[in-house]
């Protein structure tokens, strides 16, 4: 009897639960009942609640509008914008890319003598192209979406290839590394002549038959003056901060003077260091870069779909504008706001200066002359790497929701450190001259002042 009673109670509870569930379903799918309109006047308590609700809604809306651009850095990954352009360019096309890649590989691999490259060089180029194709299709999106997120995925792939090349050179000796570099161009692999810019520091040369200011004129019309100014313009666009660029400019001039005993081409006259470099070339580049970022910061970014533009000329202009920024974030480093923030910016300054020094030491150790295109290619590649890397680094120190470094800044930092290790290892025995005592005492005094400044702040 007890068992039969238990079964009856279970059946009754099941029926009641099924009825309740059916009633809930009917209640969900049933149309909402019309509320009866009441002619009663609202009470004071009701009107106060409604007024408070309207006020809170207005405050929330105003807060949403007042959110600055920097606070919207919730993720260091870019989002696709297929509505701005033709959606066909934002589809993966992985199968098509695989088929085209295999066909191109067959086309180049089965007739290697046609391209004028050895089988080793051709195979190395093919490996890099295949990896870049994989990077374009499968790596994570970076912080930028213009001209296309795939472009910055390729840049990340290029930075990985450059890091691997530096790791490969790290495990070679200096002679073998120069032979590998000479494989890229037969003109390389020869010792470079030492050149100093401080042999004659006279401002006036009245006995010179060409000009009474021959040294200043030669320095002004040097082949690297325009490149110097353009380089600082690019740095201003990347860092977007006047004071930070001035610190980098002055510190690098001090580093040039400090390493003059190791690299003779660091030797410059006082007026070349102070006037030509800092106050003319660097200032002009920073000024032009600041004007550019001011324009980009004040510009209104309202994009129209290309399908909504009726004229062909307008569509062409819109296609060209695809190579301009989608939006703009003005960096505010605020390096004196906290000790943690100060350390972050200090790490950035150290990494930038080490990267600058690596360029000069690598070309001296690997025997790459300054006018060679390999130096320009390296600078251009580093500029492409630095743009998303700095954006990710700023994301890391600005956004509290970002808990890890982005992939681009990680690869960039690793490449700088490996470059420095290559310089230290391959440069052993090449720089026997000791530094001047004034350099040692000067940096010691600077260290004391710097530590005192940090403690005081």
């Amino acid at each position: 009897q007890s068992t039969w009673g238990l079964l009856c109670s279970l059946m009754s509870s099941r029926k009641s639960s099924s009825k309740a569930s059916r009633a809930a379903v009917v209640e969900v799918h049933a149309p909402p009942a019309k509320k009866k309109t009441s002619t009663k006047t609202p009470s004071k308590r009701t009107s106060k609640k409604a007024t408070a609700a309207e006020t809170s809604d207005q405050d929330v809306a105003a807060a949403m509008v007042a959110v600055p651009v920097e606070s919207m850095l919730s993720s260091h990954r870019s989002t696709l914008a297929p509505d701005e352009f033709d959606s066909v360019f934002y589809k993966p096309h992985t199968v098509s890319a695989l088929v085209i890649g295999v066909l191109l590989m067959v086309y180049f691999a089965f007739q290697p003598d046609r391209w004028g490259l050895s089988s080793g060089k051709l195979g190395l180029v093919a490996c890099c192209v295949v990896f870049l194709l994989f990077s374009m299709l499968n790596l994570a999106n970076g912080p930028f979406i213009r001209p296309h997120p795939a472009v910055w995925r390729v840049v990340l792939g290029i930075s990985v290839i450059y890091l691997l090349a530096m790791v490969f050179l790290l495990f070679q000796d200096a002679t073998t590394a120069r032979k590998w570099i000479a494989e890229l161009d037969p003109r390389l692999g020869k010792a470079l002549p030492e050149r100093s810019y401080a042999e004659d520091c006279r401002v006036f040369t009245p006995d010179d038959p060409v000009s009474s200011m021959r040294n200043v004129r030669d320095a002004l019309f040097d082949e690297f003056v325009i490149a110097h100014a353009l380089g600082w313009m690019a740095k201003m666009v990347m860092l977007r901060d006047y004071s930070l660029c001035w610190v980098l400019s002055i510190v690098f001039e001090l580093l040039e003077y400090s390493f003059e005993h190791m690299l003779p081409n660091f030797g410059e006259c006082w007026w070349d260091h102070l006037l030509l470099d800092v106050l003319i070339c660097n200032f002009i580049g920073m000024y032009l870069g600041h004007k550019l970022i001011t324009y980009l910061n004040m510009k209104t970014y309202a994009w129209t779909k290309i399908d909504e533009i009726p004229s062909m000329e307008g569509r062409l202009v819109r296609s060209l504008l695809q190579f301009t920024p989608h939006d703009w974030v003005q960096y505010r480093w605020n390096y004196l706001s906290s000790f943690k923030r100060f350390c972050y910016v200090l790490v950035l300054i150290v990494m930038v200066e080490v990267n600058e020094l690596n360029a000069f030491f690598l070309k001296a150790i690997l025997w790459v002359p300054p006018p060679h295109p390999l130096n320009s290619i390296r600078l251009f590649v580093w500029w492409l790497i630095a743009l998303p890397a700095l954006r990710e680094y700023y994301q890391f120190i600005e956004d509290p929701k970002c808990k890890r470094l982005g992939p681009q800044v990680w690869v960039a930092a690793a490449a700088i450190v490996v470059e420095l290790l290559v310089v230290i290892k391959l440069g052993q025995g090449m720089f026997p001259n000791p530094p001047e005592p004034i350099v040692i005492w000067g940096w010691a005094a600077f260290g004391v002042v710097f530590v005192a400044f940090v403690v005081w702040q």
Side-chain angles (χ1 to χ4, degrees), residues 204-217:
F204 297 100
T205 54
D207 54 341
D208 190 87
V210 178
S211 174
S212 59
M213 300 180 68
R214 177 67 178 271
N215 297 329
V216 178
R217 195 199 71 163

Side-chain angles (χ1 to χ4, degrees), residues 226-242:
I226 298 179
H228 204 159
L230 292 177
W232 277 102
M233 180 179 175
K235 288 178 185 176
M236 175 60 77
V237 173
M238 291 187 296
L239 297 169
R240 308 174 192 180
D241 188 274
Y242 240 136

Side-chain angles (χ1 to χ4, degrees), residues 40-300:
K40 295 181 180 180
T41 58
S43 62
K44 292 183 179 180
R45 182 178 299 176
T46 307
S47 61
K48 287 182 179 180
K49 289 182 179 180
T51 306
E54 293 177 359
T55 305
S56 61
D57 293 340
Q58 292 175 0
D59 293 340
V60 171
M64 292 176 65
V65 173
V67 172
V69 178
E70 288 80 358
S71 65
M72 291 188 285
L73 305 176
S74 59
S75 175
H76 63 275
R77 295 288 181 269
S78 63
T79 56
L80 300 180
D83 293 337
E84 293 184 3
F85 217 72
D86 195 345
S87 60
V88 70
F89 294 104
Y90 289 90
K91 294 180 180 179
H93 301 291
T94 52
V95 177
S96 303
L98 177 61
V99 173
I100 295 174
V102 171
L103 292 177
L104 289 176
M105 192 158 34
V106 171
Y107 177 74
F108 284 95
F110 282 82
Q111 42 184 357
D113 299 333
R114 184 177 179 181
W115 315 112
L117 295 175
S118 63
S119 58
K121 290 182 180 179
L122 191 61
L124 186 62
V125 172
C127 290
C128 294
V129 172
V130 170
F131 179 75
L132 293 181
L133 179 62
F134 170 82
S135 303
M136 181 181 67
L137 297 175
N138 297 285
L139 291 185
N141 290 329
F144 301 142
I145 62 176
R146 291 293 180 86
H148 194 282
V151 174
W152 300 105
R153 293 196 291 265
V154 171
V155 171
L156 178 57
I158 292 174
S159 60
V160 173
I161 291 176
Y162 182 78
L163 172 61
L164 296 178
M166 288 295 105
V167 172
F168 177 79
L169 290 179
L170 181 61
F171 287 86
Q172 314 300 317
D173 53 53
T175 304
T176 307
R178 290 165 188 156
K179 290 181 179 179
W180 279 105
I181 296 296
E183 289 292 329
L184 301 175
D185 190 347
R187 295 174 296 176
L188 300 176
K190 302 176 183 178
L192 301 180
E194 296 183 355
R195 179 186 177 184
S196 176
Y197 293 91
E199 295 177 353
D200 188 0
C201 291
R202 293 179 300 167
V203 178
F204 297 100
T205 54
D207 54 341
D208 190 87
V210 178
S211 174
S212 59
M213 300 180 68
R214 177 67 178 271
N215 297 329
V216 178
R217 195 199 71 163
D218 291 345
L220 284 174
F221 291 96
D222 189 76
E223 57 185 341
F224 300 107
V225 169
I226 298 179
H228 204 159
L230 292 177
W232 277 102
M233 180 179 175
K235 288 178 185 176
M236 175 60 77
V237 173
M238 291 187 296
L239 297 169
R240 308 174 192 180
D241 188 274
Y242 240 136
S243 58
L244 188 57
C245 285
W246 275 114
V247 170
L248 290 171
S249 174
I250 295 173
V251 170
F252 185 74
E253 296 301 323
L254 295 176
L255 290 174
E256 278 190 328
Y257 182 77
S258 302
F259 289 100
E260 185 179 341
H261 65 284
M262 302 177 70
L263 296 179
N265 58 351
F266 274 168
E268 296 177 349
C269 301
W270 65 269
W271 47 265
D272 199 348
H273 276 297
L274 180 62
L275 300 178
L276 186 60
D277 286 349
V278 177
L279 299 180
I280 296 180
C281 292
N282 298 1
F283 174 73
I284 292 176
M286 285 187 277
Y287 176 78
L288 295 177
H290 186 263
K291 286 296 182 183
L292 178 59
I293 64 175
T294 302
Y295 165 75
L296 294 174
N297 191 37
M298 296 177 63
K299 179 183 175 183
T300 302

